Structures are given as C-alpha cells and as structure tokens.
Amino acid sequence: YNGSMKNKQHNEPINRDAIAYLRVSRDSQEESGLGLEAQRSQIEAYAASRGPTIVRWYQDVVSGVSTLKDRAGLTSLLDGLEPEMVVLVAKRDRLSRDLNLALWCEKEISRFHCSIESCDGAGNGSSPTDVLLKNLILSFAAYERDLISDRTRSALQELKKTRKLGRPRFALMRTDNTKPTPIPTPLLNE
C-alpha cells in the first residue's frame, strides 16, 4: 500500500509504467484467441483511456486455481515488479480464483508500492469501500470456481452410470513386419 495512492479517484489519469497480465484456463481458449485477445483488447483500451504505458505483457494458460509454481507468467510478473508500477488485469479473477493466492499476490504487489488496476474498475483504489469490494470480488471468484467444480463432478458421476469414462484402451497388432498398429479395444471383440 502506498499512501499516495490512497483514495484516488477512479477516473484520474495513471501516469506510471504498467505491466499487463492475461490468463485463460484452457488451451482451447488460447488457441481460439478469444480469451487472450479479449483481455488484451480490454487492457489496451483501459490503458489508452487512463494513460499508463504498458511496458511488458505476461500470460498464463492455466486454471485459476493453479499454484504459483505452475504459473510462469505470474511468477515473472512478480519478479519483474519495479516500485510504483501498476499491474493491469482485465478482471480481478484473471489473477487467481484461489482466494489465498489472490490475496498473497495483492500483498506482494503492494509491497513494491505498486497497485493492481482491474479494467472493469471493480475494487480499484484503496479506500475502505474499495478494499471491501476487492475482497468480495476475490471471494466470489473462489465461490464460482467451487460451483464449477461441483457441477463438473456431478456431471461426471451421472455419465459414469451410463458409460465407461476415460481413454479407450488400445492393443497392438502387427499386420506385417512393420511396427505395431494400435487398435481400439472395442474392435478386438469382433
């Protein structure tokens, strides 16, 4: 926490260097470009309207509950912090959906007299109301992650009742003197 940032108005220009962080949960989001490109566009628009100069970009393609050791982008971001920088994220849940990790990251970033700005504006600032809103957002992100996990677990249990889950088994067969050819298990019974 930097006393000079306390109670700043949410629309004041930011005249500091910024680093941006992007995160998507699945490879399919990265490959389609929808998740990363949407976040990048939001951050670029926010920076253009508020004034920070983005000097570096970091990204991860990992679940929001992954540990810090599984996040090369976030680790590099934290290692590259310089005093008075601002960290830009499209939304706070991009930082993490794990409440403890998100709060730890917030603390580490503030230790360098830096701040996190969410492009949706939610929880930006350091007034008591801003801190409360920030903590609520992080708590709801963790809650939403738990709901998604419960729904997925329930759906998989329902599927198990009607079919076998997992990768199909393969057997190897030689059709000539070349290397073995994999054959799916259902074909073995024919």
Side-chain angles (χ1 to χ4, degrees), residues 33-48:
L34 296 175
L36 292 175
E37 286 308 312
Q39 290 175 51
R40 183 178 294 274
S41 294
Q42 286 178 303
I43 291 171
E44 287 171 342
Y46 185 82

Side-chain angles (χ1 to χ4, degrees), residues 115-148:
S115 63
I116 298 174
E117 292 276 324
S118 175
C119 295
D120 65 4
N124 293 345
S126 58
S127 73
T129 303
D130 294 328
V131 172
L132 174 64
L133 182 57
K134 185 183 318 181
N135 289 332
L136 286 171
I137 290 166
L138 295 174
S139 293
F140 274 104
Y143 173 68
E144 182 180 30
R145 178 216 53 216
D146 290 343
L147 288 177
I148 291 167

Side-chain angles (χ1 to χ4, degrees), residues 21-27 29 39 60-71 74 91-103 105 138 141-146 148-149:
Y21 180 69
L22 314 168
R23 183 188 61 78
V24 292
S25 299
R26 295 184 307 269
D27 290 335
Q29 289 174 305
Q39 290 175 51
D60 284 313
V61 180
V62 294
S63 165
V65 297
S66 297
T67 63
L68 191 58
K69 71 178 178 69
D70 296 325
R71 295 173 164 221
L74 184 57
K91 291 175 56 181
R92 288 200 179 273
D93 70 351
R94 298 299 82 202
L95 194 59
S96 181
R97 286 185 181 262
D98 177 284
L99 181 59
N100 291 326
L101 179 58
L103 291 172
C105 287
L138 295 174
Y143 173 68
E144 182 180 30
R145 178 216 53 216
D146 290 343
I148 291 167
S149 178

Side-chain angles (χ1 to χ4, degrees), residues 162-182:
T162 60
R163 66 177 110 160
K164 187 173 182 177
L165 299 179
R167 292 186 175 157
R169 294 183 154 192
F170 284 89
L172 298 176
M173 176 179 84
R174 290 188 188 269
T175 54
D176 53 24
N177 289 333
T178 61
K179 65 181 186 177
T181 305

Side-chain angles (χ1 to χ4, degrees), residues 68-83:
L68 191 58
K69 71 178 178 69
D70 296 325
R71 295 173 164 221
L74 184 57
T75 301
S76 295
L77 180 149
L78 293 169
D79 289 343
L81 280 176
E82 298 169 18

